[in-house]
Coordinates of all heavy atoms in Angstrom, one line a residue:
Chain T
E154 N 7.7 13.9 -30.0 CA 7.0 14.4 -31.2 C 6.5 15.9 -31.0 O 6.3 16.6 -32.0 CB 5.7 13.6 -31.4 CG 6.0 12.2 -32.0 CD 4.9 11.2 -31.8 OE1 3.8 11.6 -32.3 OE2 5.1 10.1 -31.2
V155 N 6.4 16.3 -29.8 CA 5.8 17.6 -29.6 C 6.7 18.6 -28.8 O 6.3 19.8 -28.6 CB 4.4 17.6 -28.8 CG1 3.5 16.7 -29.6 CG2 4.6 17.1 -27.4
K156 N 7.8 18.2 -28.5 CA 8.6 19.1 -27.5 C 8.9 20.4 -28.1 O 9.0 21.4 -27.4 CB 9.9 18.4 -27.1 CG 10.9 18.2 -28.3 CD 12.2 17.5 -27.8 CE 13.1 17.1 -28.9 NZ 14.0 16.1 -28.6
D157 N 8.9 20.6 -29.5 CA 9.2 21.9 -30.0 C 7.9 22.7 -30.1 O 8.0 23.9 -30.6 CB 9.7 21.7 -31.4 CG 11.0 20.9 -31.4 OD1 11.7 21.1 -30.4 OD2 11.3 20.2 -32.3
R158 N 6.8 22.2 -29.8 CA 5.6 23.0 -30.0 C 4.6 22.8 -28.9 O 3.4 22.8 -29.1 CB 4.9 22.7 -31.3 CG 4.8 21.2 -31.6 CD 3.9 21.0 -32.8 NE 3.8 19.6 -33.2 CZ 2.8 19.1 -33.8 NH1 1.7 19.8 -34.1 NH2 2.7 17.8 -34.1
I159 N 5.1 22.7 -27.7 CA 4.2 22.5 -26.5 C 3.3 23.7 -26.2 O 2.3 23.6 -25.5 CB 4.9 22.0 -25.2 CG1 6.0 23.0 -24.8 CG2 5.4 20.6 -25.4 CD1 6.5 22.7 -23.5
H160 N 3.6 24.8 -26.8 CA 2.7 26.0 -26.6 C 1.8 26.2 -27.7 O 1.1 27.2 -27.8 CB 3.6 27.2 -26.3 CG 4.3 27.1 -25.0 ND1 3.6 27.1 -23.8 CD2 5.6 26.9 -24.7 CE1 4.5 26.9 -22.8 NE2 5.7 26.8 -23.3
E161 N 1.8 25.3 -28.6 CA 0.8 25.4 -29.7 C -0.5 24.7 -29.3 O -0.5 23.8 -28.4 CB 1.4 24.8 -31.0 CG 2.4 25.7 -31.6 CD 3.1 25.1 -32.8 OE1 2.5 24.3 -33.5 OE2 4.3 25.5 -33.0
P162 N -1.6 25.0 -30.0 CA -2.9 24.4 -29.6 C -2.9 22.9 -29.8 O -2.4 22.3 -30.7 CB -3.9 25.0 -30.6 CG -3.2 26.2 -31.2 CD -1.8 26.0 -31.1
A163 N -3.5 22.3 -28.8 CA -3.6 20.8 -28.8 C -4.4 20.3 -30.0 O -4.2 19.1 -30.4 CB -4.2 20.3 -27.5
Y164 N -5.3 21.1 -30.5 CA -6.1 20.6 -31.7 C -5.3 20.5 -32.9 O -5.8 19.9 -33.9 CB -7.3 21.5 -31.9 CG -8.4 21.3 -30.8 CD1 -9.5 22.1 -30.7 CD2 -8.3 20.2 -30.0 CE1 -10.4 21.9 -29.7 CE2 -9.2 20.0 -29.0 CZ -10.3 20.8 -28.9 OH -11.2 20.6 -27.9
G165 N -4.1 21.0 -32.9 CA -3.3 20.8 -34.1 C -2.7 19.4 -34.2 O -2.1 19.0 -35.2
L166 N -2.8 18.6 -33.1 CA -2.2 17.3 -33.1 C -3.1 16.3 -33.8 O -4.3 16.5 -34.0 CB -2.1 16.8 -31.6 CG -1.1 17.6 -30.7 CD1 -1.2 17.1 -29.3 CD2 0.3 17.6 -31.3
S167 N -2.5 15.2 -34.3 CA -3.4 14.2 -34.9 C -4.2 13.5 -33.8 O -3.9 13.6 -32.6 CB -2.5 13.2 -35.6 OG -1.9 12.3 -34.7
G168 N -5.2 12.7 -34.3 CA -6.0 12.0 -33.3 C -5.2 11.1 -32.3 O -5.5 11.2 -31.1
G169 N -4.3 10.4 -32.8 CA -3.5 9.5 -32.0 C -2.7 10.3 -31.0 O -2.6 10.0 -29.8
Q170 N -2.1 11.4 -31.5 CA -1.3 12.2 -30.6 C -2.2 12.9 -29.5 O -1.8 12.9 -28.3 CB -0.6 13.3 -31.4 CG 0.5 12.8 -32.3 CD 1.1 13.9 -33.1 OE1 0.4 14.7 -33.6 NE2 2.4 13.8 -33.4
Q171 N -3.4 13.3 -29.9 CA -4.3 13.9 -29.0 C -4.7 12.9 -27.9 O -4.7 13.2 -26.7 CB -5.6 14.3 -29.7 CG -5.5 15.5 -30.5 CD -6.8 16.1 -31.1 OE1 -7.9 15.6 -30.6 NE2 -6.8 17.0 -32.0
Q172 N -4.8 11.6 -28.3 CA -5.2 10.6 -27.3 C -4.0 10.4 -26.3 O -4.2 10.3 -25.1 CB -5.6 9.3 -28.0 CG -6.3 8.3 -27.1 CD -7.6 8.8 -26.6 OE1 -7.7 9.8 -25.9 NE2 -8.7 8.0 -26.9
R173 N -2.8 10.4 -26.8 CA -1.7 10.3 -25.9 C -1.6 11.5 -25.0 O -1.2 11.4 -23.9 CB -0.4 10.0 -26.7 CG -0.3 8.5 -27.1 CD 1.0 8.2 -27.9 NE 0.8 8.6 -29.3 CZ 1.8 9.1 -30.0 NH1 3.0 9.2 -29.6 NH2 1.5 9.4 -31.3
L174 N -1.9 12.7 -25.6 CA -1.9 13.9 -24.8 C -2.9 13.7 -23.6 O -2.6 14.1 -22.5 CB -2.3 15.1 -25.6 CG -2.4 16.4 -24.9 CD1 -1.1 16.8 -24.2 CD2 -2.9 17.5 -25.8
C175 N -4.1 13.1 -23.9 CA -5.1 12.9 -22.8 C -4.5 12.0 -21.8 O -4.8 12.1 -20.6 CB -6.4 12.4 -23.4 SG -7.2 13.6 -24.4
I176 N -3.7 11.0 -22.2 CA -3.1 10.1 -21.3 C -2.1 10.9 -20.4 O -2.1 10.8 -19.2 CB -2.5 8.9 -22.0 CG1 -3.6 8.0 -22.7 CG2 -1.6 8.0 -21.0 CD1 -3.1 6.9 -23.5
A177 N -1.3 11.7 -21.1 CA -0.3 12.5 -20.4 C -1.0 13.4 -19.4 O -0.5 13.6 -18.3 CB 0.5 13.3 -21.4
R178 N -2.2 13.9 -19.8 CA -2.9 14.8 -18.8 C -3.2 14.0 -17.6 O -3.2 14.6 -16.5 CB -4.2 15.2 -19.6 CG -4.9 16.3 -18.9 CD -6.0 16.8 -19.8 NE -7.0 15.8 -20.1 CZ -8.0 16.0 -21.0 NH1 -8.2 17.2 -21.6 NH2 -8.9 15.0 -21.2
C179 N -3.6 12.8 -17.7 CA -3.9 11.9 -16.5 C -2.6 11.7 -15.7 O -2.6 11.9 -14.5 CB -4.3 10.5 -16.9 SG -6.0 10.4 -17.4
L180 N -1.5 11.4 -16.4 CA -0.3 11.1 -15.8 C 0.3 12.2 -14.9 O 0.9 12.0 -13.9 CB 0.8 10.6 -16.8 CG 0.5 9.4 -17.6 CD1 1.7 9.1 -18.5 CD2 0.1 8.2 -16.8
A181 N 0.0 13.4 -15.3 CA 0.5 14.6 -14.6 C 0.1 14.5 -13.2 O 0.8 15.0 -12.3 CB 0.0 15.9 -15.3
L182 N -1.1 14.0 -12.9 CA -1.5 13.9 -11.5 C -1.1 12.7 -10.8 O -1.5 12.4 -9.7 CB -3.0 14.1 -11.4 CG -3.6 15.4 -11.9 CD1 -5.1 15.5 -11.8 CD2 -3.0 16.5 -10.9
E183 N -0.2 11.9 -11.5 CA 0.3 10.6 -10.9 C -0.8 9.8 -10.3 O -0.9 9.6 -9.1 CB 1.4 10.9 -9.9 CG 2.5 11.7 -10.5 CD 3.7 11.9 -9.6 OE1 3.8 11.1 -8.6 OE2 4.5 12.8 -9.8
P184 N -1.7 9.4 -11.1 CA -2.9 8.7 -10.6 C -2.5 7.3 -10.1 O -1.4 6.8 -10.4 CB -3.8 8.7 -11.7 CG -3.0 8.6 -12.9 CD -1.8 9.4 -12.6
D185 N -3.4 6.7 -9.5 CA -3.2 5.3 -9.0 C -3.8 4.3 -10.1 O -3.1 3.4 -10.5 CB -4.0 5.2 -7.7 CG -3.9 3.8 -7.1 OD1 -2.9 3.1 -7.4 OD2 -4.8 3.4 -6.3
V186 N -4.9 4.7 -10.6 CA -5.6 3.9 -11.6 C -5.8 4.7 -12.9 O -6.1 5.9 -12.7 CB -6.9 3.4 -11.1 CG1 -7.6 2.4 -12.1 CG2 -6.8 2.7 -9.7
I187 N -5.8 4.1 -14.0 CA -6.2 4.8 -15.2 C -7.3 4.0 -15.9 O -7.2 2.8 -16.2 CB -5.0 5.0 -16.2 CG1 -3.9 5.8 -15.6 CG2 -5.5 5.7 -17.5 CD1 -2.7 5.9 -16.4
L188 N -8.5 4.7 -16.1 CA -9.6 4.0 -16.8 C -9.5 4.4 -18.2 O -9.3 5.6 -18.5 CB -10.9 4.5 -16.1 CG -11.0 4.4 -14.6 CD1 -12.3 5.0 -14.1 CD2 -10.9 2.9 -14.2
M189 N -9.8 3.5 -19.1 CA -9.8 3.8 -20.5 C -11.0 3.2 -21.2 O -11.2 2.0 -21.1 CB -8.5 3.3 -21.2 CG -7.2 3.8 -20.6 SD -5.8 3.2 -21.5 CE -4.5 4.2 -20.9
D190 N -11.8 4.1 -21.8 CA -13.0 3.6 -22.5 C -12.8 3.6 -24.0 O -12.9 4.6 -24.7 CB -14.2 4.5 -22.1 CG -15.5 3.9 -22.6 OD1 -15.5 2.9 -23.2 OD2 -16.6 4.5 -22.2
E191 N -12.5 2.4 -24.5 CA -12.2 2.3 -26.0 C -11.3 3.4 -26.5 O -11.6 4.1 -27.4 CB -13.6 2.3 -26.8 CG -14.6 1.4 -26.2 CD -15.7 1.1 -27.2 OE1 -15.5 1.4 -28.4 OE2 -16.7 0.5 -26.8
P192 N -10.1 3.4 -25.9 CA -9.2 4.6 -26.2 C -8.7 4.6 -27.6 O -8.2 5.6 -28.0 CB -8.1 4.4 -25.2 CG -8.0 2.9 -24.9 CD -9.5 2.5 -24.9
T193 N -8.8 3.4 -28.3 CA -8.2 3.4 -29.6 C -9.3 3.3 -30.7 O -8.9 3.3 -31.9 CB -7.2 2.2 -29.8 OG1 -8.0 1.0 -29.6 CG2 -6.1 2.3 -28.8
S194 N -10.5 3.3 -30.3 CA -11.5 2.9 -31.4 C -11.7 4.1 -32.4 O -12.2 3.8 -33.5 CB -12.9 2.6 -30.7 OG -13.5 3.8 -30.3
A195 N -11.2 5.3 -32.1 CA -11.3 6.3 -33.1 C -10.0 6.6 -33.8 O -9.8 7.5 -34.5 CB -11.8 7.6 -32.4
L196 N -9.1 5.7 -33.5 CA -7.7 5.9 -34.1 C -7.3 5.0 -35.2 O -7.9 3.9 -35.4 CB -6.7 5.8 -32.9 CG -6.9 6.6 -31.7 CD1 -5.8 6.4 -30.7 CD2 -7.0 8.1 -32.1
D197 N -6.4 5.4 -36.0 CA -5.8 4.6 -37.1 C -4.9 3.5 -36.5 O -4.5 3.6 -35.4 CB -5.1 5.5 -38.0 CG -3.9 6.2 -37.4 OD1 -4.2 7.0 -36.4 OD2 -2.8 6.0 -37.7
P198 N -4.6 2.5 -37.3 CA -3.8 1.4 -36.8 C -2.5 1.7 -36.2 O -2.2 1.2 -35.2 CB -3.6 0.5 -38.1 CG -4.6 1.0 -39.1 CD -5.0 2.4 -38.7
V199 N -1.8 2.7 -36.8 CA -0.5 3.0 -36.3 C -0.6 3.6 -34.9 O 0.1 3.3 -34.0 CB 0.2 4.0 -37.3 CG1 1.6 4.3 -36.8 CG2 0.3 3.3 -38.7
S200 N -1.5 4.6 -34.8 CA -1.7 5.2 -33.5 C -2.2 4.2 -32.5 O -1.8 4.2 -31.3 CB -2.8 6.3 -33.6 OG -2.5 7.2 -34.6
T201 N -3.0 3.3 -32.9 CA -3.5 2.2 -32.0 C -2.4 1.4 -31.5 O -2.2 1.2 -30.3 CB -4.5 1.3 -32.8 OG1 -5.6 2.1 -33.3 CG2 -5.0 0.2 -31.9
L202 N -1.5 1.1 -32.3 CA -0.3 0.3 -31.9 C 0.5 1.0 -30.9 O 0.9 0.5 -29.8 CB 0.6 0.0 -33.2 CG 1.6 -1.1 -33.0 CD1 0.8 -2.4 -32.8 CD2 2.5 -1.2 -34.2
K203 N 0.7 2.3 -31.1 CA 1.5 3.1 -30.2 C 0.8 3.1 -28.8 O 1.5 3.0 -27.8 CB 1.5 4.6 -30.7 CG 2.6 4.8 -31.8 CD 3.3 6.1 -31.5 CE 4.5 6.3 -32.5 NZ 4.2 7.3 -33.5

Side-chain angles (χ1 to χ4, degrees):
Chain T
E154 289 164 52
V155 302
K156 65 181 174 200
D157 298 329
R158 46 169 177 152
I159 54 171
H160 294 291
E161 285 174 28
Y164 285 169
L166 300 176
S167 78
Q170 289 174 325
Q171 287 187 14
Q172 194 62 301
R173 277 179 284 148
L174 177 62
C175 292
I176 293 175
R178 190 171 62 186
C179 283
L180 299 185
L182 292 177
E183 302 188 20
D185 179 24
V186 184
I187 302 175
L188 310 174
M189 300 183 167
D190 190 356
E191 310 200 12
T193 63
S194 73
L196 303 183
D197 58 299
V199 179
S200 306
T201 301
L202 198 66
K203 278 218 174 111

